[in-house]
């Protein structure tokens, strides 16, 4: 088989495309993997998923990605990633993988608009925000409850809003919200923040931000829009109603691995298990970025993992092509 050849056949319902490298996910890991595979002339296809660029595209400013001393907008960085991968031949498909069959190679991946047979698969499906799971949260999402300050901050001009969480995301997004909101109250379940020192200082120094410590949200109240929260102080047990017009929830993320359950090894939190070469337990299937990284979760580390995964996929394809070239045809072998 020619591993460099992208065969396109079709069945009754949709096209089946045979590709050497299929990347599922379009965050920093996905685009970086596509860039490396494209530069190896493997014509990778990227299935973007529902959110082009993943979580970084929802980030207002990225200040810790090397090469941008003045910071770079999240959306702008994604555009640059995409452009660079496309320049070398990566094909970006605005489609989402819904099913995978990894029982044999080529791996079969079903997406909304077609099917793919992939010699190698690079999984970069990222992670999605964890919900508080309190009454009112689902009903009021999009009506005051949000998981994206960059997307929704503008709607809260001169309003009083709340941010839930004590990590880097909560503080970064809280600081961003002070551009619009009259006040931002950061509600944290402990009295010590998880966020890094620089963000802590910036948030503490911001006159629009205040903190409610040792406090959890028990209910979100409102009919057409959020008007208050039921809060509980976890040390005193005291409860109170807290008026607010917006609740931004940043309490971590869950990896997007549902379609791989039962086919690939996951850890107890649902992250894909890889070795330090980005190999999953299935030869030819690699994982990179937040879907396989509960520790670092940075744009730069995800991009690095994506490059490493692609380098391994390239090696896998080369080795299999060499094996095939060395194996004599069956009839010849029998002589
Ligand atoms: P995170 O670091 O896991 O922090 C989650 C926060 O939410 C913690 O403070 C946690 O409290 C709190 N929390 C978790 N479950 C909760 C619940 N059910 N109710 C109330 N609070 C809850 O998540 P993150 O802030 O999204 O950051 C994820 C990763 O991305 C981190 O590695 C972070 O460094 C990175 N990041 C970096 C930047 C940057 O460098 N500029 C920006 C954003 C994110 P506890 O502290 O009590 O556990």
């Amino acid at each position: 088989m020619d591993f460099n050849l992208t065969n396109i056949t079709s069945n009754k319902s949709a096209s089946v495309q045979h590709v050497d490298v299929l990347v599922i996910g379009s965050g920093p890991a996905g685009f970086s993997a596509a860039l490396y595979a494209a530069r190896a002339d493997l014509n990778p296809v990227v299935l973007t998923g529902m959110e082009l660029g993943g979580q970084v595209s929802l980030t207002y400013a990225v200040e810790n990605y090397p090469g941008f001393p003045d910071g770079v907008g999240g959306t702008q960085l994604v555009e640059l990633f995409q452009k660079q991968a496309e320049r070398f031949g990566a094909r970006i498909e605005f489609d989402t993988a819904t099913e995978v069959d990894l029982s044999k190679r080529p791996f079969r991946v079903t997406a909304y608009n077609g099917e793919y047979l992939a010699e190698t698969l690079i999984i970069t499906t990222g992670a999605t925000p964890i919900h508080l799971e309190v009454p009112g949260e689902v009903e009021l999402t999009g009506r005051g409850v949000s998981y994206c300050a960059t997307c929704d901050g503008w709607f809260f001009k001169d309003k009083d809003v709340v941010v839930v969480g004590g990590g880097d995301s909560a503080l970064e997004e809280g600081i961003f919200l002070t551009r619009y909101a009259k006040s931002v109250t950061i509600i944290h379940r402990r009295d010590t923040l998880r966020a890094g020192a620089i963000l802590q200082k910036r948030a503490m120094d911001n006159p629009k931000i205040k903190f409610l410590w040792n406090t959890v949200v028990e209910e979100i109240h409102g009919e057409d829009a959020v008007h208050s929260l039921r809060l509980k102080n976890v040390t005193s047990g005291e409860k109170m109603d807290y008026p607010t017009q917006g609740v931004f929830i940043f309490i971590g993320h869950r990896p997007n691995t549902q379609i791989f359950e039962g086919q690939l090894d996951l850890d107890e939190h649902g992250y894909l298990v890889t070795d330090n070469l980005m190999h999953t337990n299935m030869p030819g299937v690699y994982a990179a970025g937040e879907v396989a990284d509960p520790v670092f979760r940075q744009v730069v580390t995800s991009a690095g993992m994506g490059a490493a995964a692609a380098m391994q996929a390239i090696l896998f394809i080369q080795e299999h092509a060499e094996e095939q070239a060395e194996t004599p045809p069956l009839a010849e072998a029998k002589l």
Side-chain angles (χ1 to χ4, degrees):
M1 154 178 251
D2 179 0
F3 280 92
N4 275 328
L5 193 68
T6 300
N7 301 319
I8 301 185
T9 52
S10 59
N11 67 11
K12 263 186 252 156
S13 54
S15 66
V16 179
Q17 300 181 41
H18 194 167
V19 297
D20 283 334
V21 180
L22 184 68
V23 180
I24 309 183
S26 61
F31 278 130
S32 165
L35 169 65
Y36 273 68
R39 284 176 56 83
D41 271 346
L42 291 175
N43 305 309
V45 171
V46 177
L47 299 182
T48 60
M50 303 295 268
E51 243 171 42
L52 176 70
Q55 290 177 68
V56 68
S57 63
L58 304 177
T59 306
Y60 176 71
V62 180
E63 291 186 332
N64 51 10
Y65 190 75
F68 295 89
D70 301 320
V72 58
T75 320
Q76 192 194 347
L77 188 58
V78 169
E79 279 169 15
L80 293 170
F81 284 157
Q82 179 177 345
K83 199 170 163 191
Q84 194 172 359
E86 284 178 326
R87 179 179 154 212
F88 294 101
R91 184 155 56 83
I92 315 301
E93 291 289 343
F94 294 89
D95 204 352
T96 300
T98 55
E99 219 179 303
V100 295
D101 177 358
L102 308 180
S103 59
K104 59 178 191 297
R105 226 171 27 89
F107 308 113
R108 183 175 287 272
V109 175
T110 309
Y112 288 118
N113 298 326
E115 270 193 324
Y116 295 84
L117 290 174
E119 293 300 329
T120 61
L121 202 59
I122 302 178
I123 301 168
T124 65
T125 46
T128 38
I130 295 176
H131 291 191
L132 275 176
E133 293 180 15
V134 296
E137 183 179 15
V138 171
E139 299 85 330
L140 291 163
T141 293
R143 291 189 280 161
V145 175
S146 171
Y147 304 88
C148 177
T150 315
C151 320
D152 300 328
W154 188 87
F155 299 108
F156 294 87
K157 250 183 179 159
D158 298 323
K159 305 242 160 86
D160 297 305
V161 302
V162 150
V163 165
V164 185
D168 282 327
S169 300
L171 265 58
E172 196 165 81
E173 304 300 319
I175 293 165
F176 173 75
L177 284 167
T178 60
R179 294 167 165 260
Y180 307 105
K182 187 161 65 175
S183 75
V184 176
T185 304
I186 297 180
I187 297 180
H188 184 36
R189 63 182 177 182
R190 295 187 292 138
D191 63 358
T192 320
L193 293 166
R194 185 176 290 276
I198 292 177
L199 278 173
Q200 287 201 31
K201 182 168 182 345
R202 257 194 234 164
M204 306 258 181
D205 288 348
N206 191 312
K208 281 189 174 182
I209 293 182
K210 67 175 175 181
F211 289 86
L212 273 183
W213 303 107
N214 301 312
T215 301
V216 293
V217 176
E218 287 197 326
E219 289 169 22
I220 302 174
H221 296 156
E223 277 158 26
D224 291 334
V226 169
H227 64 64
S228 64
L229 306 177
R230 184 77 171 153
L231 302 182
K232 181 182 170 185
N233 183 304
V234 291
T235 40
S236 68
E238 198 184 318
K239 298 197 180 193
M240 68 164 161
D241 282 328
Y242 193 83
T244 188
Q245 289 141 321
V247 195
F248 288 82
I249 298 164
F250 300 109
I251 59 168
H253 294 87
R254 191 163 286 131
N256 297 321
T257 50
Q258 294 82 346
I259 61 170
F260 309 108
E261 275 171 19
Q263 302 193 61
L264 293 176
D265 288 348
L266 307 179
D267 73 8
E268 70 273 25
H269 301 293
Y271 287 88
L272 283 171
V273 177
T274 62
D275 63 13
N276 60 2
L277 296 175
M278 308 301 133
H279 295 211
T280 66
N281 58 305
M282 181 66 64
V285 180
Y286 309 89
E290 278 203 33
V291 72
D293 171 21
V295 180
F296 299 113
R297 300 187 287 183
Q298 304 294 305
V299 179
V300 65
T301 49
S302 291
M305 290 170 81
M311 289 167 81
Q312 291 300 299
I314 294 162
L315 199 63
F316 182 92
I317 285 169
Q318 272 169 1
E319 284 173 358
H320 280 74
E322 281 160 18
E323 266 169 32
Q324 291 219 334
E326 280 164 16
T327 312
L330 208 53
E332 206 180 299
K334 277 182 187 159
L335 293 174

